[in-house]
Amino acid sequence: MMSHRFESFRASHWSGFALIFLVALLLRIYAIGQESLWIDEIRTYWFSSSTWDRIWVDYPTLEVHPPLYFALQKIWISLLGTSEGAMRSLAVMFSLCALFLVYLTARLVTGEKGKWPAWTAATLFAIATQQIHYAQEVRFYAALTMAFALLIYGTVWFLKNPQNAVQPIWKVRRIGTIGAYGGLAIGSAFLMWFHSLGALYNLSFALIIFVWWITAHRASAIVLLNFIIVMGVAVAIYSPNLGNLFNTVFGMHEGGYWLKAPSFERLGELFAFTYGFDQPEQNKVDFGLTAIVVALGVIGTYGLWTRVRKDLTLALVIFAGMPFFLSASITYLLQPTLLDRTLLPMFAPWSVLVGASVLVKLPYRAVTVALIAVLGAYAIYAVDYYKDTRKEPWRDVVKYVEMNAKPDEPVFLMNNIVQIAFNYYLRNTHSELDLRPLPAPFPANSDVYSYPIGGHSEPAVTDARAKEAFDQAAGSQRIWMVARSSFRFEETDGYLENYYATHADCTMLAVPGNLGILVYRYDNPSIAQKYEKPSCGFEGDKFGYLPF
């Protein structure tokens, strides 16, 4: 009996997917705790390790993102602990769920055409480095991708089974129909709970369902009522965060915002990230490989259009392209929102379109050759992915400062978010470092501050506050400062660094490969100015590198 079941499994499409799933799992857990947490991951840890009141009540007043993921992370931490790998494993779970849904969607769309389209789609999603990268982050982008994949699957299911939408929803008894309705409600709500830009993905869903309702159901009143009920459930699930959403939308311009509209070249890089390869800015070959992937996606679209169904093809194209178009339009017309990680979910429907390219027969096995080349490149990049440091090395920065700064030597943290990096990496030590976040400890929520990057936790540092902090510490033999992208938080760009470096003997040490993180050592500080020009800085190469 067992032998027969094994043979049946091996002969089914599930055997191939099981292998793909195993590869995806290994790629996502390998070296998962090797790199330090970067500052946004540590931000997730900080809120997730706080009280439930801070997550649900205080957090929405401090940050622009919804609090659900931090609540889930808090539960995860209580089960697995606070190590880098343990906290990142939650994102791994969401990424693997997204992979499963991508495969189910591909099977639903192309199942009768054989196993290879779905296997190809799943393989592409499994080994893409952008998916691996965000599956190894203590952030919500893998969860956002999973929610979108769930919404896509529910939509495709109804497009393939339109007769199941004509019965009043309260009379439905079939498990498949109930599951599809539930997938739509949960997927739509969770898109919003994991990121406010989930609204753009929901708009693509709304357009697809509207066209389908008009064409397949001739504007049926009962079908409309069914989907109004489903969306009502989604809104009910999300309703606790509606107030925070309105505050985020209407308060976006208060005090400025850190994200800028991308240049044309950067827009091309974001396109390549979304539909091709991870970091074309570092390797221009990726643009060529992305062109091949896009060609395969177009071929797959043609294959679905001519050999499967036009409505399914149109739905996948809208899911894969409309959020990018909307985000780009909003970015250039209203408020910059175009950021690589918020575009990550579109790779789910895109993988299905690329996988469908195997349905098309071209001369000289052109599709097969192109797929081998693309999947081979993805595989090489996936293996090579672990060789580079991609995150901010706060573990090493904190260790260096802890080993070199004495208890009586003040350590300024600029801006105050750097404090939580020290809190995390010193949490199991008895460090006596004199940490002084500027302008105030994180999170600094007060009407007296301005907030240049959104939210109300990281305020700007006025020139007066920067001078006051230095003058108060000038009696020490040595002062330290750890800065991260400090230019975003200074009232006058460069004032803090210039003032400190003209009032002390300054040594500036940069993080190799990441000049946004700097460690300054100020010897013999004085209230009186000692130098006409800063004694350290990038100008004139008056700086060194941290020894790691």
Side-chain angles (χ1 to χ4, degrees):
M1 179 68 73
M2 290 297 294
S3 176
H4 175 71
R5 288 181 178 177
F6 176 76
E7 290 299 325
S8 297
F9 174 79
R10 191 177 67 171
S12 74
H13 64 93
W14 290 112
S15 59
F17 176 69
L19 179 60
I20 296 168
F21 189 89
L22 178 60
V23 170
L25 173 63
L26 293 176
L27 288 173
R28 283 155 175 74
I29 63 173
Y30 178 74
I32 192 171
Q34 177 174 291
E35 289 197 65
S36 305
L37 300 179
W38 76 289
I39 206 70
D40 276 10
E41 291 184 282
I42 302 174
R43 183 196 304 268
T44 302
Y45 157 77
W46 193 89
F47 282 105
S48 300
S49 60
S50 301
T51 64
W52 287 109
D53 280 347
R54 169 156 279 176
I55 291 174
W56 291 108
V57 180
D58 296 342
Y59 176 85
T61 68
L62 300 173
E63 296 293 328
V64 297
H65 299 302
L68 176 62
Y69 193 83
F70 305 95
L72 296 176
Q73 190 76 61
K74 181 176 180 63
I75 297 171
W76 201 258
I77 285 174
S78 69
L79 297 173
L80 299 182
T82 59
S83 69
E84 291 97 331
M87 290 194 294
R88 286 171 177 159
S89 62
L90 177 60
V92 171
M93 183 192 70
F94 280 119
S95 183
L96 292 174
C97 288
L99 170 64
F100 182 64
L101 289 164
V102 166
Y103 182 69
L104 289 181
T105 302
R107 283 289 301 172
L108 198 57
V109 173
T110 65
E112 67 273 12
K113 300 296 181 181
K115 305 171 184 176
W116 284 102
W119 283 350
T120 304
T123 300
L124 183 64
F125 191 90
I127 65 177
T129 53
Q130 53 267 65
Q131 298 299 327
I132 297 171
H133 180 95
Y134 288 102
Q136 292 192 339
E137 282 218 340
V138 191
R139 299 294 281 170
F140 35 75
Y141 300 104
L144 185 70
T145 303
M146 184 277 297
F148 191 43
L150 180 59
L151 185 70
I152 293 169
Y153 178 76
T155 304
V156 169
W157 192 93
F158 274 110
L159 265 60
K160 284 211 68 173
N161 302 277
Q163 71 283 357
N164 290 54
V166 299
Q167 184 181 18
I169 195 170
W170 55 90
K171 294 183 179 180
V172 171
R173 296 295 182 268
R174 291 186 58 184
I175 298 299
T177 306
I178 294 172
Y181 278 130
L184 293 178
I186 294 171
S188 177
F190 277 24
L191 276 169
M192 298 299 298
W193 268 117
F194 290 136
H195 202 287
S196 297
L197 288 179
L200 305 185
Y201 294 93
N202 275 319
L203 284 175
S204 64
F205 161 71
L207 176 61
I208 292 165
I209 291 299
F210 177 77
V211 172
W212 173 73
W213 173 62
I214 294 292
T215 57
H217 291 284
R218 299 184 183 277
S220 164
I222 190 62
V223 173
L224 176 61
L225 179 60
N226 287 343
F227 279 85
I228 288 176
I229 292 172
V230 169
M231 289 302 98
V233 172
V235 171
I237 295 172
Y238 180 68
S239 60
N241 198 57
L242 281 172
N244 301 326
L245 175 65
F246 292 137
N247 291 335
T248 298
V249 171
F250 294 111
M252 187 69 76
H253 293 279
E254 292 183 9
Y257 190 60
W258 71 273
L259 193 59
K260 306 299 181 184
S263 64
F264 181 76
E265 181 180 7
R266 177 57 182 159
L267 184 64
E269 292 171 356
L270 291 169
F271 181 88
F273 172 91
T274 306
Y275 303 109
F277 285 78
D278 190 1
Q279 293 184 311
E281 73 276 9
Q282 296 184 11
N283 181 3
K284 300 305 180 183
V285 174
D286 287 0
F287 280 118
L289 290 169
T290 295
I292 298 175
V293 180
V294 171
L296 288 169
V298 172
I299 292 170
T301 301
Y302 172 78
L304 290 178
W305 187 270
T306 57
R307 300 192 58 185
V308 183
R309 282 174 48 175
K310 293 180 176 58
D311 59 342
L312 293 175
T313 308
L314 182 62
L316 289 171
V317 169
I318 291 173
F319 275 135
M322 185 173 169
F324 190 102
F325 172 78
L326 290 175
S327 187
S329 299
I330 293 170
T331 290
Y332 292 109
L333 296 177
L334 297 173
Q335 170 70 50
T337 61
L338 206 54
L339 190 63
D340 50 7
R341 45 190 179 264
T342 61
L343 304 173
L344 190 72
M346 277 176 281
F347 203 77
W350 182 246
S351 297
V352 178
L353 289 172
V354 174
S357 64
V358 302
L359 298 174
V360 180
K361 306 299 181 184
L362 293 181
Y364 308 107
R365 299 184 182 274
V367 171
T368 302
V369 172
L371 278 172
I372 291 173
V374 165
L375 294 177
Y378 273 115
I380 292 171
Y381 282 21
V383 173
D384 191 59
Y385 169 82
Y386 306 96
K387 296 179 181 179
D388 298 325
T389 299
R390 294 175 175 242
K391 303 182 190 294
E392 298 169 346
W394 285 109
R395 183 193 302 131
D396 298 318
V397 171
V398 171
K399 182 178 180 181
Y400 176 84
V401 175
E402 183 189 19
M403 292 179 62
N404 289 276
K406 297 178 181 179
D408 60 349
E409 297 173 354
V411 180
F412 291 120
L413 306 177
M414 175 65 185
N415 69 325
N416 69 339
I417 192 68
V418 176
Q419 168 200 327
I420 65 174
F422 278 80
N423 289 348
Y424 177 77
Y425 282 107
L426 295 176
R427 68 192 188 284
N428 295 322
T429 70
H430 300 287
S431 173
E432 297 180 351
L433 288 176
D434 180 11
L435 301 177
R436 302 186 184 184
L438 293 175
F442 180 90
N445 184 7
S446 171
D447 293 337
V448 303
Y449 299 124
S450 62
Y451 296 88
I453 66 167
H456 283 77
S457 57
E458 300 175 61
V461 179
T462 63
D463 297 347
R465 176 67 183 115
K467 180 180 183 301
E468 175 190 39
F470 182 89
D471 291 350
Q472 288 175 346
S476 304
Q477 291 294 315
R478 176 177 291 168
I479 298 172
W480 295 79
M481 182 169 69
V482 182
R484 177 186 183 270
S485 301
S486 57
F487 64 91
R488 293 176 178 167
F489 300 92
E490 293 180 293
E491 178 184 8
T492 302
D493 188 17
Y495 175 85
L496 185 147
E497 292 88 345
N498 292 336
Y499 183 86
Y500 286 25
T502 54
H503 288 71
D505 303 320
C506 174
T507 300
M508 186 176 84
L509 300 174
V511 171
N514 191 333
L515 300 183
I517 300 176
L518 300 167
V519 175
Y520 296 88
R521 187 183 71 228
Y522 302 103
D523 293 314
N524 306 311
S526 171
I527 296 178
Q529 184 171 334
K530 300 179 67 174
Y531 301 99
E532 290 187 8
K533 295 183 178 181
S535 54
C536 67
F538 287 116
E539 185 177 348
D541 294 333
K542 294 182 288 186
F543 73 98
Y545 289 99
L546 289 163
F548 53 79

